[in-house]
Amino acid sequence: MVRLAVIGAGTMGMQHLELFSQLTPTVQITAVADSHPPFADRAAARVPSAAVFHDPLDCVAGAAIDAALVATADDSHYGIVQACIARGIFVLCEKPLTASADQALQLVEAERATGRRLVQVGYMRRYDDGYRRLHDTLQSGRVGHPALISQRHRNPLAVNDFNANKLISSSASHDIDVFRWLTGEEIVEVAATAKASESAVAVLLTLTSRSGLLGVIEVSRGPGLHYDIGCDILASRGALTLTAPPSISDSWFERFVGGYRAQDAAWVAAVAAGSVTGPSAYDGYANNAVTDAVLSALRTRQAQRVRQM
Ligand code: ISE
């Protein structure tokens, strides 16, 4: 049985809490934490037996736990994950792992110093049926080698009011991870351009991998958009398209609930077995390194090399 803390009880934290509640008896939520007291209280109301903390770091330091799910504000991930590593606690952290590649690299090194894998990053698309089919087909070699991966990531204004920078650092981190995962290659060069018009924001990214594979990502938000995710692959012996579930809603959680459920269940099973195998701290670091380069490309209006160890 895995004793779990749910740290961060905003929208995403509460969704994870519900998914983990369905995994009893393998997992027991023994602690909940949020620095916003009403959020901590609503999590506590859902799991009355859990200890309640109003400071995530107090929770990591003092709760009776083996593992933590971190779904707090993006810029707080670094300190919380660092504390989990220091205490030897398994941690599933929502994306992005940290706010910069430098911070993420520190986590990679801290985890390495423990001699075991403790960190997983929440790139849940790797657990989605449609993306898994794309991955399996590419691995089988049936369509040859990928040459171009084009991705579409549109958000309804009602659930996403991000500016261009935040669309890149938060939303596009999924698409960046998909590119790395499907190609099995690191991204070495990026370019970015953005256009904001009233409440609509569109960002276009281009990616080039080490061997020259290309990626194009449109990430946007605006009035009249539905949550719309697409992925098309041009490969040397054929083309592939992501097949989506039949009902498309405006909620990213509904679109990806299968992926979140599979991710959380696989993570708990791995923690119970004493090791984690999903997206690693290094994946989080590589993603942060690409994001840093993309933000710099947007600022300078010039293509940028990705600085990655
Ligand atoms: C959100 O933070 C997510 O994680 C969703 O998966 C993503 O599609 C959305 O754009 C983000 O706002």
Side-chain angles (χ1 to χ4, degrees):
M1 198 257 295
V2 174
R3 297 168 305 164
L4 177 73
V6 172
I7 302 180
T11 309
M12 216 44 248
M14 289 303 287
Q15 300 283 18
H16 282 292
L17 185 147
E18 291 304 330
L19 293 176
F20 285 120
S21 301
Q22 292 160 20
L23 293 172
T24 46
T26 318
V27 64
Q28 191 187 346
I29 299 172
T30 52
V32 294
D34 200 299
S35 51
H36 183 51
F39 282 8
D41 293 347
R42 76 175 174 187
R46 182 66 187 79
V47 192
S49 56
V52 186
F53 294 84
H54 291 139
D55 180 339
L57 294 178
D58 288 347
C59 176
V60 176
I65 51 173
D66 311 298
L69 174 279
V70 176
T72 53
D74 296 353
D75 60 1
S76 66
H77 293 174
Y78 169 68
I80 301 169
V81 173
Q82 195 178 44
C84 289
I85 295 171
R87 206 187 143 188
I89 288 171
F90 291 103
V91 54
L92 172 58
C93 181
E94 268 296 342
K95 40 51 61 177
L97 177 56
T98 64
S100 72
D102 288 345
Q103 285 184 341
L105 188 56
Q106 288 175 43
L107 296 181
V108 168
E109 285 168 354
E111 184 194 48
R112 271 190 195 149
T114 70
R116 51 202 290 243
R117 268 206 63 187
L118 293 169
V119 180
Q120 179 166 326
V121 184
Y123 298 124
M124 49 65 188
R125 288 188 187 175
R126 296 192 190 196
Y127 297 85
D128 172 79
D129 286 345
Y131 280 101
R132 289 190 85 96
R133 274 194 294 275
L134 292 182
H135 189 260
D136 291 350
T137 306
L138 283 177
Q139 294 292 307
S140 75
R142 192 164 57 76
V143 294
H145 301 292
L148 169 67
I149 300 186
S150 306
Q151 301 186 70
R152 185 176 70 250
H153 185 163
R154 297 186 180 150
N155 294 276
L157 186 59
V159 292
N160 182 316
D161 64 355
F162 294 168
N163 64 15
N165 281 13
K166 184 86 175 160
L167 279 172
I168 291 166
S169 65
S170 181
S171 303
S173 62
H174 284 300
D175 311 279
I176 291 167
D177 182 64
V178 163
F179 182 91
R180 290 184 64 251
W181 181 57
L182 291 180
T183 62
E185 289 197 17
E186 295 300 346
I187 296 161
V188 295
E189 190 174 288
V190 298
T193 183
K195 171 74 181 158
S197 182
E198 297 184 35
S199 51
V201 182
V203 181
L204 291 180
L205 312 181
T206 59
L207 316 173
T208 308
S209 80
R210 205 174 293 282
S211 77
L213 311 183
L214 300 176
V216 178
I217 299 171
E218 175 211 316
V219 57
S220 51
R221 59 99 157 157
L225 291 182
H226 295 288
Y227 188 63
D228 180 13
I229 300 296
C231 182
D232 293 296
I233 302 173
L234 170 70
S236 54
R237 290 205 301 273
L240 299 172
T241 295
L242 177 72
T243 44
S247 87
I248 298 298
S249 81
D250 282 355
S251 148
W252 78 74
F253 184 77
E254 277 176 40
R255 162 63 181 85
F256 283 111
V257 64
Y260 282 109
R261 181 177 290 119
Q263 166 192 263
D264 290 2
W267 178 68
V268 162
V271 169
S275 70
V276 290
T277 52
S280 66
Y282 191 87
D283 289 318
Y285 159 68
N287 202 304
N288 274 130
V290 173
T291 301
D292 287 359
V294 168
L295 292 173
S296 158
L298 191 64
R299 243 184 351 260
T300 59
R301 296 170 180 270
Q302 285 185 345
Q304 298 289 324
R305 301 292 293 177
V306 178
R307 286 180 42 232
Q308 189 181 327
M309 298 273 296

